[in-house]
């Protein structure tokens, strides 16, 4: 699909080398269509890595997407150059007067803290409340999904005895739900987290529906308001080597870390991991854009 991004965004050159169609502002202006406005609130520390992962995941629909990267003003990033943020990101205060067809709220490495202890929590609450009236469908990832369930439904996360880390098999529970249309009966997805939201707590809330889950990793996808809120507790956007980088990083810091499950051939970290989740990840993002954003959003807000 044509993704509309700034012409000098670093991720653009990588995407073009991968034969992903990326459109600049000038060409987009010559097309007589309304692109879908997609906001990405990127809370991850390595923002350029997350930009690339999400743009890859969004690149499989024929619809034109106009991407806006959003940042919070109440937190200063220590792992991404401020010049990059100043050039390619908009503070929430600059975009809250408009509307988005879709909004992605990423995870963040703060899951072992209480939500209220996170320095940008109040700003995130404002963004989540704003999304209810200014966004057609919001897609929450990992900690972002936990934060949304806590804020909107009072469901608390729980600390796991050890990090859930690796690739896990999942099952589709409701094949009629368009979000998982085209999925196999069983599929693998990456997880990397210290906390979880228990399936029983989600099922006890009548407003929520579990769409896919794993016996070992727990709930993978839940939704509310007929898809106006999508909660994804894993990381389908992860690249082949993302879990490897996390594993090597933690080992290098001397942290207690288990080898990512079902990831390396023969559990040998010297071997290149097999990429076995990309097709389902692409289908998940494409289904979200098609069925919950494009087919639901008005042409004129």
């Amino acid at each position: 699909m044509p993704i509309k991004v700034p012409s000098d965004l670093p991720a653009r050159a990588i995407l073009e080398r991968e034969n992903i169609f990326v459109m600049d502002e000038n060409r987009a202006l010559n097309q007589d269509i309304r692109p879908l406005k997609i906001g990405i609130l990127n809370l991850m520390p390595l923002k350029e890595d997350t930009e690339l992962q999400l743009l890859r995941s969004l690149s499989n629909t024929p619809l034109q997407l106009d991407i806006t990267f959003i940042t919070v003003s109440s937190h200063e990033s220590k792992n991404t150059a401020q010049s990059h943020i100043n050039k390619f990101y908009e503070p929430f205060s600059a975009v809250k007067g408009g509307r988005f067809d879709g909004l992605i709220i990423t995870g963040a490495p703060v899951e072992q803290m209480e939500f209220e202890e996170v320095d940008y929590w109040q700003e995130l609450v404002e963004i989540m409340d704003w999304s209810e009236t200014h966004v057609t469908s919001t897609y929450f990832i990992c900690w972002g999904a936990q934060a949304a369930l806590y804020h909107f439904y009072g469901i608390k996360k729980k600390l796991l005895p050890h990090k859930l880390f690796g690739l896990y098999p999942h099952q589709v529970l409701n094949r009629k739900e368009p979000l998982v249309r085209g999925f196999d009966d069983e599929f693998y997805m990456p997880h990397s987290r210290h906390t979880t939201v228990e399936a029983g707590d989600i099922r006890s809330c009548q407003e929520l529906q579990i769409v896919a889950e794993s016996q070992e990793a727990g709930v993978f996808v839940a939704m509310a308001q007929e898809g106006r809120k999508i909660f994804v507790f894993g990381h389908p956007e992860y690249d082949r080597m993302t879990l490897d980088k996390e594993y090597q990083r933690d080992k290098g810091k001397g942290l207690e870390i288990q080898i990512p499950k079902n990831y390396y051939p023969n559990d040998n970290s010297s071997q290149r991991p097999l990429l076995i989740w990309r097709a389902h990840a692409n289908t998940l993002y494409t289904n979200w854009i098609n069925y919950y954003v494009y087919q639901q959003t008005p042409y004129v807000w």
Side-chain angles (χ1 to χ4, degrees):
M1 78 164 199
I3 305 176
K4 177 177 173 288
V5 296
S7 57
D8 50 353
L9 182 75
R12 176 184 173 134
I14 300 173
L15 293 168
E16 288 181 333
R17 286 199 297 271
E18 296 174 1
N19 293 321
I20 293 174
F21 182 16
V22 183
M23 181 180 293
D24 62 24
E25 295 93 333
N26 292 331
R27 182 166 180 182
L29 289 173
N30 291 325
Q31 290 197 320
D32 189 21
I33 60 174
R34 183 178 90 74
L36 295 174
K37 292 178 60 64
I38 305 296
I40 299 177
L41 178 63
N42 188 356
L43 302 174
M44 293 295 283
L46 300 176
K47 298 194 184 301
E48 293 186 53
D49 289 353
T50 303
E51 293 162 13
L52 182 57
Q53 291 168 5
L54 288 173
L55 291 177
R56 280 197 186 109
S57 298
L58 292 168
S59 67
N60 293 281
T61 166
L63 303 167
Q64 184 188 136
L65 306 185
D66 186 352
I67 305 294
T68 300
F69 289 106
I70 305 169
T71 186
V72 290
S73 301
S74 45
H75 175 80
E76 183 177 343
S77 177
K78 299 180 177 64
N79 297 281
T80 300
Q82 191 62 41
S83 59
H84 180 88
I85 295 173
N86 291 341
K87 187 171 186 177
F88 298 113
Y89 282 72
E90 296 286 349
F92 173 63
S93 59
V95 302
K96 66 180 182 179
R99 297 177 182 270
F100 286 91
D101 303 307
L103 174 67
I104 295 173
I105 297 181
T106 73
V110 293
E111 57 185 305
Q112 292 173 286
M113 300 170 61
E114 295 297 327
F115 290 114
E116 291 84 358
E117 294 176 353
V118 177
D119 56 5
Y120 52 81
W121 175 249
Q122 289 304 319
E123 187 173 3
L124 179 58
V125 165
E126 181 186 357
I127 293 170
M128 289 190 290
D129 287 341
W130 167 88
S131 72
E132 296 230 82
T133 54
H134 290 73
V135 178
T136 300
S137 178
T138 304
Y139 183 110
F140 302 91
I141 301 174
C142 200
W143 180 83
Q146 295 180 356
L149 289 183
Y150 176 70
H151 173 60
F152 290 119
Y153 307 105
I155 299 176
K156 296 182 179 180
K157 63 184 179 180
K158 296 186 178 179
L159 186 66
L160 293 167
H162 54 80
K163 185 177 182 179
L164 185 73
F165 190 44
L167 299 177
Y168 297 88
H170 301 75
Q171 295 75 41
V172 172
L173 300 187
N174 183 359
R175 186 159 294 286
K176 293 182 179 179
E177 185 58 56
L179 187 62
V180 289
R181 188 166 291 171
F183 273 52
D184 295 323
D185 290 335
E186 183 172 273
F187 61 95
Y188 280 78
M189 282 291 175
H191 288 262
S192 177
R193 50 189 166 86
H194 294 275
T195 56
T196 191
V197 176
E198 293 190 350
D201 292 338
I202 295 177
R203 286 191 169 94
S204 67
C205 179
Q206 294 184 350
E207 297 178 64
L208 295 169
Q209 171 193 354
I210 297 176
V211 181
E213 67 179 336
S214 164
Q215 290 186 353
E216 189 171 358
V219 177
F220 174 61
V221 178
M223 59 188 295
Q225 296 176 273
E226 298 182 331
R228 291 210 60 223
K229 296 187 182 77
I230 305 289
F231 312 96
V232 178
F233 297 93
H235 284 284
E237 75 283 355
Y238 270 9
D239 296 332
R240 180 195 303 269
M241 303 305 295
T242 305
L243 292 177
D244 176 73
K245 291 177 181 177
E246 290 186 20
Y247 178 60
Q248 301 300 340
R249 178 200 65 199
D250 288 355
K251 276 184 60 180
K253 292 181 178 180
L255 300 176
E256 183 178 344
I257 181 69
Q258 297 177 344
I259 192 167
K261 192 165 186 176
N262 303 317
Y263 181 58
Y264 299 111
N266 304 312
D267 284 339
N268 184 343
S269 62
S270 67
Q271 295 191 29
R272 181 177 171 84
L274 293 177
L275 183 59
I276 61 173
W277 65 94
R278 177 63 57 82
H280 284 91
N282 288 345
T283 301
L284 181 66
Y285 278 94
T286 299
N287 286 348
W288 172 60
I289 290 292
N290 182 24
Y291 296 112
Y292 303 91
V293 179
Y294 173 64
Q295 295 194 30
Q296 301 299 324
T297 197
Y299 186 84
V300 179
W301 273 95

